[in-house]
Amino acid sequence: MEIKLVNVTYKNLFEKINVNFEVGQINVIVGKNASGKTSILNLIFGTNLNFQGKICIGKSIIEKKTKSNNIKKLRKNISYLKQDYLNDLFNVNILEDIKYGISNFDEIKLYDLLKLFDLKEDILKN
């Protein structure tokens, strides 16, 4: 499902941006801290309607006046995970993040990979 931002303005973060996230493509939002990356995702997900312009998700449009029941329907088709989602849910370290949901986890292979990429084992404790 294609997602378009059309003349979207939000606070002092960005003004009249136009972005097209195409189906089947890997799309990356890059920027400095507090430059609006998460705000863009929150606007697309409909958690914040305090913006000007419009966001098109497929044939649906999100605008400042969009009703919450219409946004709930859209959310069934889109989702995103915050970069720190596991810490928010489980408050675990990197090793536990890696192991989560893997029934046949092989710790020996993990340590071999750390050596291969010249990473210290201490990284898993963060």
Side-chain angles (χ1 to χ4, degrees), residues 49-65:
L49 296 178
N50 191 20
F51 69 95
Q52 284 83 42
K54 64 181 178 178
I55 299 170
C56 306
I57 301 174
K59 294 180 182 180
S60 300
I61 297 175
I62 298 176
E63 296 176 287
K64 194 172 199 171
K65 60 186 177 190

Side-chain angles (χ1 to χ4, degrees), residues 57-74:
I57 301 174
K59 294 180 182 180
S60 300
I61 297 175
I62 298 176
E63 296 176 287
K64 194 172 199 171
K65 60 186 177 190
T66 303
K67 295 182 180 173
S68 63
N69 59 344
N70 292 339
I71 290 173
K72 287 179 185 177
K73 290 177 188 174
L74 281 174

Side-chain angles (χ1 to χ4, degrees), residues 37-49:
K37 300 178 301 289
T38 301
S39 295
I40 288 173
L41 294 173
N42 287 333
L43 294 175
I44 291 170
F45 199 62
T47 56
N48 186 340
L49 296 178

Side-chain angles (χ1 to χ4, degrees), residues 1-12:
M1 179 178 316
E2 187 175 56
I3 299 174
K4 289 183 185 181
L5 281 68
V6 181
N7 292 322
V8 174
T9 299
Y10 179 68
K11 295 186 178 183
N12 293 327

Side-chain angles (χ1 to χ4, degrees), residues 16-33:
K16 294 188 178 184
I17 62 169
N18 293 285
V19 179
N20 185 20
F21 299 102
E22 296 181 26
V23 176
Q25 299 297 313
I26 296 173
N27 298 276
V28 179
I29 301 173
V30 179
K32 296 178 182 177
N33 286 347

Side-chain angles (χ1 to χ4, degrees), residues 72-104:
K72 287 179 185 177
K73 290 177 188 174
L74 281 174
R75 285 185 186 158
K76 292 180 181 179
N77 296 311
I78 61 173
S79 64
Y80 78 94
L81 295 174
K82 298 180 343 184
Q83 74 182 47
D84 56 354
Y85 73 99
L86 282 176
N87 286 333
D88 286 348
L89 293 175
F90 305 113
N91 196 21
V92 295
N93 59 32
I94 292 174
L95 177 60
E96 295 303 314
D97 286 354
I98 293 170
K99 289 170 52 173
Y100 181 76
I102 301 175
S103 60
N104 61 345

